[in-house]
Amino acid sequence: MQDPNEDTEWNDILRKKGILPPKEVPKDEEEDTLAVQQQQQSVVKTYENMTLDELEENEDEFGEDDEAAIEMYRQKRLAEWKATQLKNVFGELGEISGQDYVKEVNKAGDGIWVVLHLYKQGIPLCTLINQHLNMLARKFPQTKFLKSISTTCIPNYPDRNLPTIFVYFEGEMKAQFIGPLVFGGMNLKVEELEWRLSESGAVKTELEENPRKQIEDNLMSSIRNSLPTRKDGDSEEDDDD
């Protein structure tokens, strides 16, 4: 009797005619095929966890059937990346005039914190704060840092109120710092200004406490140590008097 699984031309003809059943796949070969299919499925499942760079590196491992789905996923990842980049569009201290105030401050956008410094040239503390804000703008690119000559934003704004910092969130004022005494004069450190802004919500600092507190504690300690101590004899003499 002829083996129906035998590789002969006649058996191939009979299979095409439907007289013989399809040729049985050897068990080992069937297992190998199944393993390849599972591997392909595994690769396709993992593409959702890949970065854009990883997608490019593993592009050859994906089957043709998966290319459309992977391309859609690639576009989705790209859109997410662009959205993230849009959140970091600031990163520097910008200059505005009164005409820009509404657009740049009041209509800055949803979820946008704005720190606006009103200043004048020739005032040393204003210059110092602008230097500090330049550093903070690079450190906190999600926050919009702006400066403006005071009288161009607010006509007749008094110089005695300078420096002035306004903090806005989604067009609403959340904090204001007005005048040199608020900032502690020319000894103001960038970390102290960062802390002040973090208390208003404008930046998310990693500082654990107000740097000014440590300076004040050290100052008080130094004052206490410099005070003359009264001797017991002096105390008794005072009591006798």
Side-chain angles (χ1 to χ4, degrees):
M1 183 178 178
Q2 187 173 359
D3 183 0
N5 290 319
E6 189 177 357
D7 285 327
T8 64
E9 189 176 348
W10 176 244
N11 279 353
D12 290 339
I13 294 172
L14 294 179
R15 289 191 193 100
K16 289 178 182 179
K17 299 288 186 182
I19 297 173
L20 287 179
K23 182 182 176 184
E24 293 182 4
V25 180
K27 190 173 182 181
D28 291 343
E29 187 177 335
E30 186 177 358
E31 290 176 353
D32 290 343
T33 304
L34 184 62
V36 170
Q37 291 174 346
Q38 289 175 342
Q39 184 179 5
Q40 289 176 342
Q41 290 174 355
S42 175
V43 170
V44 172
K45 287 178 182 177
T46 58
Y47 77 81
E48 293 189 356
N49 301 320
M50 291 183 179
T51 63
L52 290 171
D53 291 338
E54 289 171 339
L55 282 172
E56 290 183 6
E57 290 174 7
N58 296 278
E59 195 171 5
D60 295 338
E61 296 183 27
F62 302 129
E64 293 181 2
D65 296 339
D66 306 308
E67 286 183 0
I70 292 170
E71 182 57 30
M72 287 179 62
Y73 181 72
R74 192 198 306 274
Q75 294 301 324
K76 178 185 174 186
R77 272 299 179 94
L78 193 58
E80 290 172 353
W81 178 81
K82 287 181 178 178
T84 302
Q85 293 304 302
L86 285 175
K87 293 180 181 178
N88 301 328
V89 293
F90 308 117
E92 60 182 12
L93 179 60
E95 179 98 27
I96 65 168
S97 66
Q99 295 176 341
D100 306 318
Y101 198 97
V102 172
K103 176 186 174 185
E104 297 293 337
V105 178
N106 298 102
K107 296 183 178 179
D110 295 338
I112 301 297
W113 284 92
V114 179
V115 175
L116 173 64
H117 177 213
L118 300 184
Y119 76 102
K120 260 193 180 177
Q121 306 230 353
I123 299 179
L125 186 53
C126 288
T127 302
L128 178 66
I129 287 177
N130 277 337
Q131 292 172 357
H132 289 344
L133 292 179
N134 260 315
M135 296 173 63
L136 294 175
R138 291 192 294 270
K139 186 174 182 179
F140 301 102
Q142 296 87 358
T143 299
K144 186 187 241 186
F145 287 86
L146 300 170
K147 63 179 179 176
S148 179
I149 294 176
S150 57
T151 49
T152 67
C153 266
I154 305 175
N156 302 317
Y157 193 75
D159 289 356
R160 68 176 179 275
N161 288 348
L162 300 179
T164 291
I165 288 182
F166 294 141
V167 177
Y168 285 81
F169 180 67
E170 296 184 342
E172 293 186 10
M173 185 180 289
K174 297 298 182 181
Q176 54 184 0
F177 307 96
I178 299 174
L181 293 179
V182 172
F183 297 98
M186 290 299 293
N187 292 322
L188 177 70
K189 305 295 182 187
V190 64
E191 293 83 6
E192 296 169 36
L193 185 55
E194 176 181 332
W195 181 264
R196 288 285 186 88
L197 295 177
S198 75
E199 287 185 315
S200 70
V203 299
K204 294 182 179 180
T205 183
E206 293 183 358
L207 296 172
E208 295 181 356
E209 64 175 11
N210 185 356
R212 188 74 186 173
K213 181 178 180 299
Q214 185 177 0
I215 295 172
E216 291 172 352
D217 289 346
N218 291 341
L219 180 61
M220 291 303 296
S221 175
S222 132
I223 291 172
R224 282 195 298 269
N225 291 336
S226 64
L227 289 174
T229 56
R230 298 173 62 184
K231 296 180 181 178
D232 293 340
D234 294 340
S235 177
E236 290 174 0
E237 289 175 4
D238 292 342
D239 293 340
D240 292 339
D241 293 339

